Amino acid sequence: MTAFLQNCFAGLALGSTYALVALGFVVIYKSTGVINFAQGGLLALGAYLGYTFSNNLAIAFAVAIVLACVSAAVVGAAFERIVLRRMVGQPPFAVIMITIGLLFVLEPLITSIWGFDNKQVDNPWNIQTVGVGGLVLGVRDLWTIGLTAAVVIGFFAFFRYTSLGLAMRATAFDPEAALAQGISARRVYAVSWAIAAALAALAGITLAAGPGGLQPSISFIALAAFPAMILGGLDSPGGAVAGGLIIGLAEALTRGYQDQLFSWAGDNVSVIVPYLVMIVILLIRPYGLAGTKDVRRI
Amino acid sequence: MARTRGGPHRNLTRGYSDDLRLFGTPAAKIGLALMLAVLVLLPTVVHDDFWLSVLIYVGITAIGAIGLNLLTGYCGQISLGHAFFIGAGAYITARVGGDLDLPLPVWLLAAAVVGAVLGGLIGPFALRLRGNYLAIVTLGLIFIGEHIWRNFKDLTGGNSGTSVNAPVDIGVADIDQMVIAGETYSRNQGWFWLVWVLVGVVALLAKNLVRTRPGRALQAVRDRDQAAEVIGVRAGRYKIGAFVISSAVAAMAGALFGAYQRFVSPDEWNLLLSIQYIAIIIVGGLGTIFGSVLGAIFVGALPALIDRYSEYLPGVQTGVGGEGFISVFALNQAIFGLLIVLFLVLEPRGLAGIWLRIKAYFKAWPFSY
């Protein structure tokens, strides 16, 4: 039982990371209709910027996190402004491929600045643990879960109570009607990219503070967040959070019981679990747990 | 129809049948003849194994790119899983061609059939939905595939890879050691002819597909799927069909790749390979068969050239831990990414579009605009 709960805890921590990234996917998808493959690159960029702020510039870790998120947000908004705005009106698959291209530009850019070797981010959490009952809870994991919860609450409050949030919801619902009300679609697009990039950066830096350290392959975590987005439904923020947690749990539990249950399927089955869950979901409930069911008449 | 003086101009299109012509204009026929001459003569002029092997890889890549262009360029569906099907084709060749020792046509067909079946199994998951689910599902396919390649050791040899000893024999001649009229040709020369003849065959098949009803249906689905369904195109069926064909062609490219390289390992079928193919069709020109080949020539040859001339490129590491800030692998990755972004933003029609513009300029010369 303890082992099970321990795995569940690891799953929640991992799932929080997925939830943050998936939330970023949903924000961009809802407002611009683009599936953003570059999220992983922004995640890695945020994590490495956090590393530079925390280690090289010796800024307090909490401030470093904020700075990393803000810088990533600026990069995200700048990318929207410089590249994607030219693509307005182009078919969606062209825009998606642009984001794929950006991912493949960001990754080598990061390795050429920071190199390939594993880096340890200076952070106050380190490998401290808290014992609760028979469980050993990592301080970093607790912070990841706590920060994610705070950010998700802030996220929903932003969309519920601020005028910019309302403008973004209106644009997502009907861009033309929103324009007619005097809402600046440009600002909405730029802000959604900034929010998504900041969420990715937060996910990246909390991940980099963990036992795995920081290496270029960190961007792959964002690819595994796609299944979370599909599971939740492409256009549902709440679904993305739930999907992230479920995928995280499924992956951690598979890893925990790899030797007992999954040894027949080869090593490290947990790595592909998110994608297998995604395929099952697409089979039985293609619009996800909370997504809008696609209704159309011919 | 013989044209008489004063008849309609050779470039004039007066109906569907003119529009559907395969090689409409005399210029196209001359161009084709020139290409054939180059194909036949080039290996007898160029003997250098490095350049021949680059051109062979380019040809194999062109075949795969034609497959992807049918799906992405003509049907508007993005697949990141092209590398998966290429890998599957290579492993099938290792087993059917290598272990069972069956001849070339058999293992090439076997690879195509397996690719088509895999595509037919996977396509329906992603393609019965509107929107670009295929990109995400095929992204998963890359990772699931890598897991299979690493763990299904009977088929793939696991992490250490497997050798591919497929016989390259087409009845009349052994490609690996061809003797024509008393003259012996090297393996690379034989492979050059084999691969580029196959490029021609695949290009012709693809061209025939896209200039007839199915091709027009695919383009209708790409441009507006709802409108396509209204005019009687079964969008879902055509999308899955395009995916099946593209997978089959990718597997054929993989079969050739494996048989030429004689050894394959799971590290080769990664996301970067899929991205390379996407870069190729974007640079070459989405929705053109000719563009796929053009893109393969320009982008497909890049990794080999960068690898060979890395010591002359400033800032590029020549080996692990060498001088320079960017590794050869990372440079390739950055170039593919940049090409995708730059071409989509600045020249969405790709090199084929540039070529058509040049052609149009001279067609109406001196009254060009």
Side-chain angles (χ1 to χ4, degrees):
Chain A
M1 190 60 197
T2 317
F4 175 75
L5 286 178
Q6 192 74 53
N7 285 327
C8 284
F9 177 69
L12 283 181
L14 180 63
S16 301
T17 308
Y18 287 152
L20 286 176
V21 181
L23 212 49
F25 285 138
V26 170
V27 172
I28 292 183
Y29 182 78
K30 269 194 89 134
S31 63
T32 64
V34 174
I35 299 174
N36 175 23
F37 277 83
Q39 197 84 328
L42 294 168
L43 181 147
L45 185 70
Y48 274 98
L49 285 172
Y51 165 81
T52 301
F53 291 138
S54 182
N55 289 34
N56 301 0
L57 305 178
I59 298 172
F61 188 60
V63 185
I65 291 183
V66 175
L67 281 179
C69 290
V70 171
S71 338
V74 170
V75 173
F79 178 66
E80 195 279 332
R81 178 70 193 81
I82 296 166
V83 181
L84 282 172
R85 191 153 302 166
R86 296 163 185 268
M87 298 299 289
V88 171
Q90 299 279 341
F93 74 89
V95 186
I96 291 175
M97 283 192 285
I98 290 243
T99 67
I100 295 174
L102 178 74
L103 172 68
F104 273 71
V105 175
L106 273 177
E107 278 186 352
L109 193 72
I110 286 167
T111 56
S112 60
I113 295 175
W114 282 284
F116 285 96
D117 39 327
N118 200 330
K119 305 224 184 299
Q120 294 300 326
V121 182
D122 287 344
N123 68 84
W125 308 329
N126 283 321
I127 46 167
Q128 297 166 35
T129 53
V130 186
V132 178
L135 296 179
V136 184
L137 307 182
V139 172
R140 184 204 68 102
D141 293 342
L142 286 173
W143 270 100
T144 306
I145 297 170
L147 277 176
T148 305
V151 164
V152 168
I153 291 170
F155 180 88
F156 284 100
F158 169 76
F159 278 95
R160 183 80 182 75
Y161 296 112
T162 66
S163 58
L164 183 58
L166 184 65
M168 292 179 71
R169 277 191 292 148
T171 310
F173 189 70
D174 189 334
E176 283 181 19
L179 270 177
Q181 300 297 318
I183 292 170
S184 161
R186 295 180 172 188
R187 203 163 68 132
V188 167
Y189 292 164
V191 169
S192 10
W193 272 83
I195 291 176
L199 289 171
L202 179 64
I205 193 159
T206 51
L207 202 64
L214 178 56
Q215 52 205 347
S217 62
I218 198 170
S219 59
F220 277 102
I221 200 98
L223 299 181
F226 275 118
M229 181 199 190
I230 301 252
L231 176 59
L234 281 177
D235 56 355
S236 159
V241 175
L245 293 178
I246 294 172
I247 295 276
L249 280 173
E251 191 176 333
L253 287 173
T254 317
R255 188 180 301 141
Y257 294 103
Q258 162 84 42
D259 291 339
Q260 289 106 304
L261 298 177
F262 301 105
S263 51
W264 56 271
D267 304 330
N268 291 325
V269 184
S270 60
V271 179
I272 60 167
V273 162
Y275 303 106
L276 296 175
V277 173
M278 173 179 73
I279 288 179
V280 173
I281 283 295
L282 283 176
L283 259 183
I284 56 177
R285 202 181 158 89
Y287 42 90
L289 296 176
T292 316
K293 195 169 176 181
D294 188 22
V295 181
R296 60 193 179 121
R297 298 190 179 85
I298 299 288
Chain B
M1 182 184 70
R3 268 183 301 103
T4 49
R5 213 171 170 78
H9 188 266
R10 59 183 180 278
N11 289 332
L12 186 66
T13 309
R14 288 181 303 167
Y16 268 137
S17 56
D18 287 349
D19 211 22
L20 294 178
R21 285 179 301 198
L22 195 48
F23 309 108
T25 60
K29 285 176 190 153
I30 294 169
L32 195 74
L34 271 177
M35 277 195 278
L36 272 177
V38 170
L39 168 74
V40 173
L41 295 178
L42 195 133
T44 59
V45 181
V46 180
H47 290 285
D48 186 42
D49 275 333
F50 171 76
W51 288 106
L52 277 179
S53 82
V54 165
L55 288 171
I56 290 164
Y57 280 122
V58 163
I60 295 172
T61 311
I63 294 176
I66 291 172
L68 187 62
N69 217 337
L70 284 177
L71 180 69
T72 305
Y74 285 95
C75 196
Q77 307 294 314
I78 306 172
S79 167
L80 296 177
H82 220 56
F84 170 81
F85 296 104
I86 295 172
Y91 288 123
I92 291 302
T93 306
R95 299 289 80 90
V96 175
D99 294 352
L100 303 178
D101 209 30
L102 294 167
L104 183 144
V106 178
W107 55 254
L108 203 56
L109 261 181
V113 169
V114 169
V117 169
L118 285 173
L121 288 176
I122 294 154
F125 288 117
L127 292 165
R128 67 198 178 106
L129 298 162
R130 289 184 72 210
N132 282 288
Y133 283 83
L134 188 66
I136 299 178
V137 172
T138 49
L139 176 74
L141 196 59
I142 288 282
F143 292 105
I144 295 173
E146 199 172 329
H147 185 79
I148 296 173
W149 308 144
R150 289 189 191 285
N151 289 291
F152 193 13
K153 296 196 172 67
D154 291 341
L155 174 71
T156 67
N159 282 332
S160 44
T162 182
S163 54
V164 186
N165 296 314
V168 196
D169 211 321
I170 44 168
V172 284
D174 183 5
I175 301 290
D176 280 342
Q177 202 174 11
M178 220 167 22
V179 183
I180 299 172
E183 184 120 13
T184 313
Y185 293 94
S186 73
R187 174 165 195 262
N188 277 332
Q189 287 172 316
W191 264 91
F192 178 91
W193 281 314
L194 170 72
V195 164
W196 281 94
V197 164
L198 285 173
V199 172
V201 171
V202 172
L204 186 66
L205 289 176
K207 187 81 193 166
N208 279 336
L209 185 77
V210 298
R211 75 197 172 97
T212 48
R213 184 188 152 87
R216 303 212 158 206
L218 290 181
Q219 290 168 63
V221 171
R222 172 193 67 190
D223 293 338
R224 194 161 280 272
D225 54 352
Q226 268 176 325
E229 289 203 20
V230 169
I231 56 170
V233 173
R234 301 279 291 268
R237 192 176 285 185
Y238 274 103
K239 280 195 237 175
I240 293 172
F243 190 59
V244 167
I245 292 174
S246 132
S247 310
V249 175
M252 273 172 63
L256 291 169
F257 184 80
Y260 176 64
Q261 200 169 254
R262 285 182 170 156
F263 180 84
V264 291
S265 77
D267 302 321
E268 291 169 274
W269 327 115
N270 54 16
L271 193 55
L272 185 65
L273 184 64
S274 295
I275 299 295
Q276 182 183 355
Y277 276 94
I278 289 184
I280 286 170
I281 59 168
I282 288 174
V283 169
L286 290 168
T288 58
I289 301 298
F290 172 57
S292 318
V293 181
L294 215 54
I297 292 171
F298 279 86
V299 182
L302 266 181
L305 295 182
I306 289 175
D307 197 34
R308 171 150 175 165
Y309 295 107
S310 59
E311 49 190 311
Y312 304 110
L313 298 170
V316 176
Q317 288 170 3
T318 46
V320 177
E323 292 279 311
F325 61 88
I326 193 165
S327 66
V328 171
F329 178 81
L331 181 64
N332 280 330
Q333 203 176 335
I335 289 177
F336 294 150
L338 270 180
L339 284 174
I340 290 175
V341 174
L342 289 180
F343 266 86
L344 278 177
V345 172
L346 303 174
E347 182 53 70
R349 291 169 69 201
L351 292 173
I354 295 176
W355 165 249
L356 286 178
R357 259 210 314 277
I358 296 172
K359 218 164 74 171
Y361 181 88
F362 284 106
K363 206 183 241 178
W365 194 84
F367 303 109
S368 314
Y369 53 88

